[in-house]
Amino acid sequence: MPEAPSTSSRRRVAVVTLGCARNDTDSEELAARLADGGWELTDDGEGADVVMVNTCGFIEQAKQDSIDTLLQAADTGAKVVATGCLAERYGNELADSLPEASAVLGFDHYPDIAARLDAIAAGETIASHTPRDRRTLLPISPVRRPAAAAVIPGHRHAEADDTPVPQHLKVLRHRLSTGPVANLKIASGCDRRCGFCAIPSFRGAFVSRTPAEILAEAAWLGTQDVRELVLVSENTTSYGKDLGDAAALEELLRALAATDGIVRVRASYLQPAELRPDLVKTIAATPGVAPYFDLSFQHSSRDLLRRMRRFGSTEGFWELLDTIRGLAPSAGVRTNVIVGFPGETDDDVAELERFLSAARLDAVGVFAYSDEDGTEAATLDGHVDPDVVSQRYDHISVLVEELTSQRAAERVGQTVSVLVDAVDADGVDGRAAHQAPEVDGTTALIGDVDALRPGDLVEAVVVDSIGVDLVAECVPTTKA
């Protein structure tokens, strides 16, 4: 029997986050707004008055996971509120099909989220969000967007006190997790029109956060025992195009790397077509910036990429990788690829296999294509039989597992900088510079590890690999 919701004067809310790193940062903004509005945050859904689920609406499996989580939340006896991408994308349609949810709230509800939950907890009915194409809320010209009034999660919430120094800006964020790593949103939305992706329609057009806002949040995170910042957005390489500064991302990376308490900055979600030479150099060679390239290749067949409304080719991608490794031979590189896109042929798959076999990538996410509402790809001819898509997915997945294991084995004998994530009875685990949190494998530290604590940065020599994971022996007296 679930516990009865809290009867204290201060209502309790549990925030559950699904999906990507951008959702993590959105949830921490919502948590701060709720705390400022008098709500007590808890991770105990059965003791909460409201369970708020920050949903994911990216692909079919993520949508189903969100629905399942909302239904499980309803079993706690608390009122259930859906927010996030699935709620934004489907709004009242989701509400009609999910009576277990007390409310379905979109991004426009975020600034007043505490008041909305007050009303819901009191038994009031909040009208469900009505979906719309959020790209229409911002000017076509990027340079005019910073002055627009549209609600964008994570933006325009740093308020100055009596000094303009960025470190003194008020940061509206409440950490919902502990540990030495934190995601830091630098932008929202995307202006690209990839045929398979619906994200711009519900996340909106591209908008950069201001450097002052980002640096203020980084400085605050540095006081919260955070040692590594992972920069997230829908398209990091577009950062600054709406701020009138072509070198804005390079400047931001250098400034973040100099932030007190921060020992490593990692950029993610890089578009190969927008990766400028100076940005490659900055990521590859700036002290404190991880030489790590999260490159959205998606495929390597030139013709199929054009059909996806993307750019590139096997040879072009190899050339980019050669440039990166010419600057940083041990740089980490990961990517995602899609198999089964409409029109994909056996020759296209063979071309992808040719690319992957020589690319020496550290991590590869493989996705089987499925139609997404509102995308151009869903309307294309040449849809691949689902059984063939599944076979191609299995084939490329097995290939990728073998290739990334080989790449990890190449690192045996190298000296790597490892950020310690966890110290427990099972040992000391961390990540080298080529390993992003949760997706790229880990490094188990051995040797003189007794004094190590989470957040320490140590030098270690790789002595073994197990799949994409490494085992490394600490070099004495290198604790940072």
Side-chain angles (χ1 to χ4, degrees):
M1 184 92 175
E3 293 180 19
S6 168
T7 57
S8 66
S9 59
R10 195 164 192 233
R11 294 188 172 113
R12 305 179 74 199
V13 57
V15 180
V16 179
T17 307
L18 303 174
C20 66
R22 281 98 67 188
N23 261 18
D24 289 338
T25 60
D26 290 352
S27 285
E28 294 194 345
E29 176 196 347
L30 289 168
R33 292 186 181 280
L34 289 166
D36 282 355
W39 283 81
E40 179 182 347
L41 297 162
T42 177
D43 56 8
D44 177 13
E46 295 191 351
D49 298 279
V50 175
V51 176
M52 185 172 68
V53 181
N54 188 355
T55 60
C56 179
F58 178 42
I59 56 177
E60 194 60 39
Q61 184 58 56
K63 297 175 193 175
Q64 188 58 55
D65 289 345
S66 294
I67 297 294
D68 292 344
T69 302
L70 288 162
L71 292 173
Q72 290 166 13
D75 290 340
T76 66
K79 293 182 183 295
V80 176
V81 174
T83 60
C85 291
L86 189 70
E88 176 65 37
R89 188 174 182 183
Y90 294 103
N92 42 19
E93 179 185 341
L94 176 62
D96 290 344
S97 64
L98 195 71
E100 292 84 355
S102 298
V104 174
L105 305 182
F107 297 151
D108 290 339
H109 292 106
Y110 283 19
D112 300 319
I113 193 68
R116 305 290 182 175
L117 262 61
D118 285 343
I120 292 164
E124 297 179 27
T125 299
I126 301 294
S128 297
H129 161 66
T130 300
R132 53 182 168 172
D133 188 334
R134 295 195 72 85
R135 290 171 294 191
T136 64
L137 303 182
L138 293 168
I140 294 176
S141 172
V143 296
R144 295 179 56 198
R145 293 174 191 166
V151 173
I152 304 170
H155 290 241
R156 302 181 182 87
H157 56 60
E159 299 174 3
D161 55 17
D162 57 357
T163 172
V165 180
Q167 288 80 359
H168 292 273
L169 293 174
K170 178 184 176 183
V171 174
L172 191 57
R173 181 168 178 175
H174 177 97
R175 292 200 77 196
L176 294 173
S177 61
T178 58
V181 184
N183 297 312
L184 178 58
K185 180 185 284 190
I186 67 167
S188 293
C190 185
D191 289 340
R192 304 188 72 86
R193 294 295 181 266
C194 302
F196 52 80
C197 184
I199 290 175
S201 66
F202 56 87
R203 275 289 184 178
F206 182 88
V207 183
S208 303
R209 294 180 71 193
T210 65
E213 202 175 341
I214 296 167
L215 292 171
E217 190 165 321
W220 178 79
L221 289 167
T223 69
Q224 305 296 306
D225 298 324
V226 171
R227 301 273 275 163
E228 177 176 332
L229 300 173
V230 180
L231 309 188
V232 299
S233 69
E234 276 73 33
N235 181 1
T236 296
T237 35
S238 280
Y239 181 79
K241 74 176 187 179
D242 50 341
L243 302 178
D245 184 356
L249 183 53
E250 293 94 302
E251 295 163 3
L252 179 65
L253 285 165
R254 289 189 287 267
L256 289 169
T259 301
D260 287 346
I262 303 302
V263 297
R264 189 154 73 195
V265 178
R266 183 184 304 277
S268 61
Y269 304 104
L270 305 173
Q271 286 289 343
E274 299 180 22
L275 200 56
R276 306 174 301 278
D278 285 347
L279 178 56
V280 173
K281 292 177 184 177
T282 299
I283 295 174
T286 302
V289 176
Y292 174 82
F293 293 81
D294 177 10
L295 300 169
S296 178
F297 289 136
Q298 303 301 347
H299 212 283
S300 71
S301 167
R302 180 189 295 272
D303 291 343
L304 192 69
L305 283 167
R306 298 304 179 273
R307 192 169 168 85
M308 290 179 170
R309 294 199 179 276
R310 295 182 63 84
F311 301 93
S313 65
T314 293
E315 283 71 24
F317 292 157
W318 280 343
E319 183 178 350
L320 173 59
L321 294 174
D322 286 344
T323 298
I324 290 169
R325 289 169 178 147
L327 294 166
S330 298
V333 184
R334 74 160 286 119
T335 195
N336 295 317
V337 296
I338 298 172
V339 294
F341 188 85
E344 184 186 58
T345 65
D346 289 342
D347 287 344
D348 293 325
V349 177
E351 182 68 2
L352 176 61
E353 187 171 347
R354 185 172 80 96
F355 166 69
L356 293 171
S357 296
R360 297 171 58 233
L361 303 175
D362 293 279
V364 181
V366 183
F367 292 86
Y369 173 82
S370 62
D371 284 341
E372 280 297 310
D373 296 340
T375 62
E376 180 185 22
T379 69
L380 293 176
D381 58 9
H383 271 61
V384 181
D385 183 273
D387 289 341
V388 175
V389 175
S390 180
Q391 292 167 8
R392 290 175 179 176
Y393 170 82
D394 290 343
H395 172 67
I396 295 298
S397 295
V398 170
L399 174 66
V400 159
E401 184 175 1
E402 178 183 349
L403 292 171
T404 54
S405 295
Q406 291 173 4
R407 175 60 176 150
E410 291 178 12
R411 294 188 181 276
V412 173
Q414 292 182 5
T415 298
V416 293
S417 295
V418 180
L419 184 78
V420 177
D421 284 329
V423 179
D424 54 34
D426 295 328
V428 179
D429 280 321
R431 290 169 298 99
H434 70 280
Q435 295 171 320
E438 301 180 359
V439 293
D440 294 341
T442 61
T443 298
L445 290 171
I446 61 174
D448 185 13
V449 299
D450 291 343
L452 293 180
R453 297 292 179 267
D456 289 340
L457 187 69
V458 299
E459 298 295 299
V461 177
V462 180
V463 297
D464 198 6
S465 64
I466 306 166
V468 296
D469 298 328
L470 304 180
V471 179
E473 184 170 6
C474 289
V475 177
T477 67
T478 59
K479 179 177 171 181

